[in-house]
Amino acid sequence: RACNIESRGALIVLEGLDRCGKTSQSSRLVSYMEGLGNSVELWRFPDRTTNVGKMISAYLLNQSELDDRTIHLLFSANRWEKRSMMETKLKAGTTLIVDRYSYSGVAFSSAKGVDLEWCKAPEIGLLAPDLVLYLDMPPEKAAERGGYGDERYERLEFQKKVAQCYRILHDPSWKMVDACQPMEDVQKQLQEIVLDHVLACQKGKPLSLLWS
Ligand code: Z5A
């Protein structure tokens, strides 16, 4: 299903393991796009500022315990509560660079053993990204970067399982970028990839929906 619209912003998602450089590269991409005169915003999931986001944040900080499916649905709800704003911004011509999205949701929950199809179900009907940039990096290398903090999931063994789940989710349209390269090299490759996609959206590529 697709809703036909004219020129619009692009929905660009960065995914990858903890410490692969998503946050650094997302903000660099935003600066780059702004420098070219584009209307662009940096978004991230979880959005810890909402009420749902605050519950997620407490869970990640190990300040609360939640059943695996319950926290999965909260992560999904956190995307649903931003969905209409996302659509409005895109239709108004703003490109969104999004640090983590539904793929993180599915990869992290299925890494705990929750059925993958069950994990995908609540994401169906969210807006599909125009581009997924996967910052590819072995979990061992990622763990060496600045070390892990105290948040839940920041453990090597778990990150290895997450990497396997990302491999299952991966589809040929994803752009894989070697995240072990120096920051500037990764940045350059990302810049080259995004422009074509932004142009396609400006030319009227329709919005589509996830996993439907
Ligand atoms: N989660 C979930 O379970 N379900 C969901 O639906 C969603 C998320 C959306 C949120 O973490 C946690 O929630 C996350 C997934 C789960 N758990 N884990 N793991 P978050 O989003 O708040 O945190 P994060 O995404 O893991 O961010 P991060 O730890 O900050 O990693 P990053 O953004 O990928 O990397 P970075 O901050 O840009 O860089 C990390 C360090 O590496 C930093 O010191 C950089 O200077 C350095 N760095 C970056 N790039 C390079 C290069 N190229 N060379 C050398 N050093 C570099």
Side-chain angles (χ1 to χ4, degrees):
R1 277 180 297 155
C3 14
N4 279 319
I5 55 163
E6 304 274 298
S7 177
R8 63 171 177 89
L11 179 57
I12 296 173
V13 167
L14 279 85
E15 286 281 0
L17 297 178
D18 195 36
R19 299 292 188 271
C20 66
K22 296 174 301 301
T23 306
S24 315
Q25 295 297 342
S26 304
S27 50
R28 283 161 181 243
L29 259 185
V30 168
S31 307
Y32 170 71
M33 301 282 299
E34 277 173 349
L36 294 177
N38 290 282
S39 165
V40 57
E41 283 185 15
L42 176 58
W43 283 35
R44 69 177 307 166
F45 290 107
D47 176 345
R48 301 189 193 214
T49 63
T50 69
N51 285 334
V52 173
K54 285 180 185 134
M55 291 170 74
I56 294 171
S57 186
Y59 172 82
L60 289 172
L61 292 165
N62 292 307
Q63 291 164 356
S64 69
E65 291 303 320
L66 289 169
D67 167 80
D68 290 344
R69 286 172 179 76
T70 308
I71 183 64
H72 181 78
L73 294 172
L74 286 179
F75 271 114
S76 186
N78 190 228
R79 282 182 281 279
W80 277 102
E81 64 183 341
K82 306 288 291 189
R83 187 199 182 285
S84 63
M85 177 60 77
M86 189 177 251
E87 188 166 345
T88 303
K89 295 264 180 191
L90 292 170
K91 286 183 172 172
T94 300
T95 284
L96 303 178
I97 306 288
V98 184
D99 183 353
R100 291 194 185 278
Y101 196 55
S102 301
Y103 311 98
S104 285
V106 176
F108 278 79
S109 294
S110 60
K112 295 173 181 170
V114 182
D115 178 71
L116 188 103
E117 293 306 319
W118 189 94
C119 291
K120 283 168 91 169
E123 308 294 321
I124 294 173
L126 288 169
L127 296 176
D130 295 297
L131 172 64
V132 178
L133 296 164
Y134 187 79
L135 301 190
D136 194 22
M137 174 164 236
E140 294 80 3
K141 289 259 182 209
E144 286 167 12
R145 281 198 180 157
Y148 288 138
D150 294 329
E151 285 212 338
R152 203 184 287 263
Y153 304 151
E154 294 185 339
R155 300 185 317 274
L156 180 56
E157 284 315 305
F158 186 70
Q159 294 287 327
K160 285 183 185 170
K161 288 186 188 157
V162 175
Q164 281 169 7
C165 294
Y166 269 127
R167 272 197 287 278
I168 297 170
L169 281 178
H170 165 264
D171 91 47
S173 71
W174 289 20
K175 299 291 178 200
M176 311 293 278
V177 174
D178 177 5
C180 298
Q181 304 172 91
M183 196 97 84
E184 288 66 29
D185 294 2
V186 178
Q187 188 184 348
K188 219 162 161 252
Q189 287 187 19
L190 297 181
Q191 289 174 355
E192 281 164 12
I193 298 168
V194 294
L195 289 183
D196 280 351
H197 291 79
V198 170
L199 199 63
C201 296
Q202 284 169 350
K203 285 184 175 165
K205 178 189 171 204
L207 272 174
S208 60
L209 304 179
L210 257 188
W211 292 322
S212 53

